Amino acid sequence: MVFKKCKELLDFNDTLAKTQLFHLEYLLNKNNSTELNNILIRINQISNIKDSELLILVRCKVYVELKMYHEAMLDLNLLYDKNLYYSRIILYISYTYLLREITDFWLYLNVNNNNNDLSKLGIVNEFSKYMYESKIRVYFISNMVNLNSKLHQLQENDINSLSEKIISSKNEELYLNLPMLYFNYSYRVIWKISVKEVLNKDSFIKFIIKSTNSEQYKDFELKHYEHVLKYEDMLKLEGLGWIEYQLSENVYYKYVQLSIKINGSINMQIDYVRNGYKLYNDEKITYFPNIVGDILPNFHEWCPNVPETFKDKYFSRKEMENLLELKDIINYL
């Protein structure tokens, strides 16, 4: 009965369920190249694969494990092309999150694209380098620790951040002055932040933008913008978790020097800053999708023998308790 239901699940025209099963099988066989190749063959037999971003993502992960980096790069580019629109770029960023630990893959991409020395910006690892050199120009705030050792005390680990390391204000006043960044004619500046708690009505957050089109400049020549969040503004962000906050000021210059000043008792975390292209009249808040937990859950870590996809929808709780080894089920399929 269990085998029959599993077979019916894959025969059923449910792309998300199939994708979750492929991802689960991938997790169980990450060190088995033969099984990974079998997964790849079955994924490529699906005729409408380009219509499913998650299926492309799973295939990309399989390619990476098999060290087929060129093919993985093509899938990553395809995911970017499918999410060019402003409101969907955040999905592409979430996809890269699931690949960030594969250092050799990012090294391959960097060598093939360019191999600039970015240490003067505090960028010293391959993933950080790729994200900064990519079209969306993501600069991790944790890079600042490599430029200023005093920031070590403000750095925290956070598995939900893109770089896994963030800077936290810890209810203290904080001023961060970033190096001059190349944003390639950015229209907007977007910060990824999490405002956990605002304790003082006199608190505020000030975002500062200085910009120019020339690599050679004097400070007084820079175009200057300021964007201030007062107490009432911050209350709207409090407790929302990780968000992308787009500043309302338009920026039409290649190079930007960004600063952020946190004044008063604010418990706030900062992950990265990036450029934005879509114009809006006001500031904009974008929430992060939970790709890992809601769509491609890491079943193997918390429940190695039971696929969550099957719960309730396909099996009773009693049937779940009597499931045979998951790998046997998958092999049968």
Side-chain angles (χ1 to χ4, degrees):
M1 178 63 70
V2 169
F3 287 145
K4 182 179 179 181
K5 288 186 177 182
C6 289
K7 188 68 168 62
E8 288 174 355
L9 177 60
L10 278 188
D11 287 342
F12 186 65
N13 188 24
D14 187 339
T15 303
L16 178 57
K18 289 182 180 181
T19 302
Q20 290 178 323
L21 278 174
F22 281 132
H23 187 246
L24 176 55
E25 189 173 357
Y26 153 80
L27 291 172
L28 291 170
N29 294 283
K30 289 179 68 173
N31 298 318
N32 188 329
S33 60
T34 300
E35 291 300 324
L36 289 176
N37 274 296
N38 289 335
I39 296 170
L40 199 56
I41 291 171
R42 287 158 50 210
I43 291 177
N44 286 330
Q45 288 175 343
I46 298 176
S47 59
N48 60 340
I49 184 172
K50 289 189 176 181
D51 296 332
S52 172
E53 292 179 25
L54 290 175
L55 200 51
I56 295 171
L57 174 63
V58 172
R59 185 174 68 177
C60 181
K61 294 179 73 173
V62 174
Y63 279 139
V64 169
E65 290 295 337
L66 290 171
K67 300 188 184 302
M68 300 171 66
Y69 294 148
H70 177 73
E71 290 79 4
M73 178 185 68
L74 295 179
D75 273 352
L76 192 62
N77 290 341
L78 182 58
L79 288 171
Y80 176 81
D81 291 340
K82 293 175 75 68
N83 290 283
L84 278 175
Y85 185 69
Y86 170 84
S87 62
R88 295 185 61 84
I89 284 291
I90 200 168
L91 277 175
Y92 173 77
I93 293 174
S94 297
Y95 296 151
T96 63
Y97 168 89
L98 298 177
L99 298 166
R100 70 191 186 283
E101 295 179 353
I102 315 296
T103 303
D104 288 347
F105 177 51
W106 303 113
L107 176 61
Y108 171 86
L109 295 180
N110 290 332
V111 169
N112 279 271
N113 294 329
N114 54 65
N115 200 24
N116 297 329
D117 181 10
L118 301 177
S119 58
K120 64 180 181 180
L121 302 179
I123 299 175
V124 296
N125 70 65
E126 298 299 333
F127 180 60
S128 296
K129 183 175 182 179
Y130 174 82
M131 294 304 292
Y132 177 71
E133 297 274 51
S134 69
K135 296 177 183 178
I136 50 178
R137 313 300 295 189
V138 174
Y139 181 81
F140 295 122
I141 301 303
S142 57
N143 293 329
M144 293 288 293
V145 176
N146 300 317
L147 301 176
N148 183 356
S149 59
K150 293 181 179 179
L151 293 176
H152 269 292
Q153 60 185 342
L154 299 178
Q155 183 173 264
E156 296 178 352
N157 295 325
D158 188 325
I159 61 172
N160 293 315
S161 69
L162 190 57
S163 66
E164 292 191 309
K165 293 185 182 296
I166 53 91
I167 296 295
S168 175
S169 64
K170 298 182 178 180
N171 294 324
E172 298 178 2
E173 292 189 3
L174 175 65
Y175 178 72
L176 294 175
N177 187 33
L178 279 60
M180 183 66 77
L181 305 175
Y182 178 69
F183 266 20
N184 191 23
Y185 287 113
S186 170
Y187 292 128
R188 292 295 176 91
V189 173
I190 299 172
W191 290 82
K192 184 184 175 186
I193 60 175
S194 175
V195 180
K196 292 183 171 295
E197 190 176 17
V198 184
L199 301 174
N200 191 325
K201 290 187 176 182
D202 295 326
S203 302
F204 66 84
I205 303 172
K206 180 185 290 186
F207 300 95
I208 303 169
I209 306 171
K210 296 180 180 180
S211 56
T212 180
N213 279 329
S214 174
E215 288 188 79
Q216 305 296 325
Y217 60 88
K218 296 181 180 179
D219 193 64
F220 69 86
E221 297 174 332
L222 300 177
K223 187 71 175 178
H224 187 99
Y225 310 84
E226 288 188 359
H227 183 101
V228 179
L229 292 178
K230 298 181 180 179
Y231 176 73
E232 294 77 11
D233 303 315
M234 291 185 291
L235 288 181
K236 297 176 184 178
L237 307 180
E238 187 179 38
L240 296 182
W242 284 112
I243 61 170
E244 280 198 342
Y245 183 77
Q246 177 183 266
L247 306 187
S248 59
E249 289 74 19
N250 291 324
V251 183
Y252 299 103
Y253 297 90
K254 290 183 179 180
Y255 299 93
V256 294
Q257 184 174 30
L258 307 171
S259 304
I260 182 170
K261 181 178 181 180
I262 301 174
N263 189 76
S265 298
I266 306 171
N267 186 354
M268 174 176 162
Q269 297 176 327
I270 312 170
D271 188 6
Y272 63 70
V273 63
R274 70 175 180 90
N275 68 352
Y277 294 103
K278 187 67 176 178
L279 296 179
Y280 289 90
N281 293 327
D282 300 305
E283 66 269 21
K284 180 176 175 61
I285 298 170
T286 306
Y287 299 89
F288 265 78
N290 188 0
I291 297 291
V292 179
D294 294 340
I295 303 177
L296 291 180
N298 195 344
F299 303 111
H300 191 50
E301 287 187 359
W302 61 272
C303 195
N305 296 321
V306 179
E308 179 68 12
T309 306
F310 299 157
K311 284 187 179 180
D312 299 325
K313 185 176 181 181
Y314 293 95
F315 301 97
S316 68
R317 292 289 177 178
K318 185 175 181 180
E319 286 177 311
M320 292 299 295
E321 294 173 358
N322 295 325
L323 276 176
L324 299 177
E325 283 293 320
L326 181 57
K327 290 195 70 172
D328 293 335
I329 296 174
I330 292 175
N331 289 337
Y332 176 83
L333 298 174

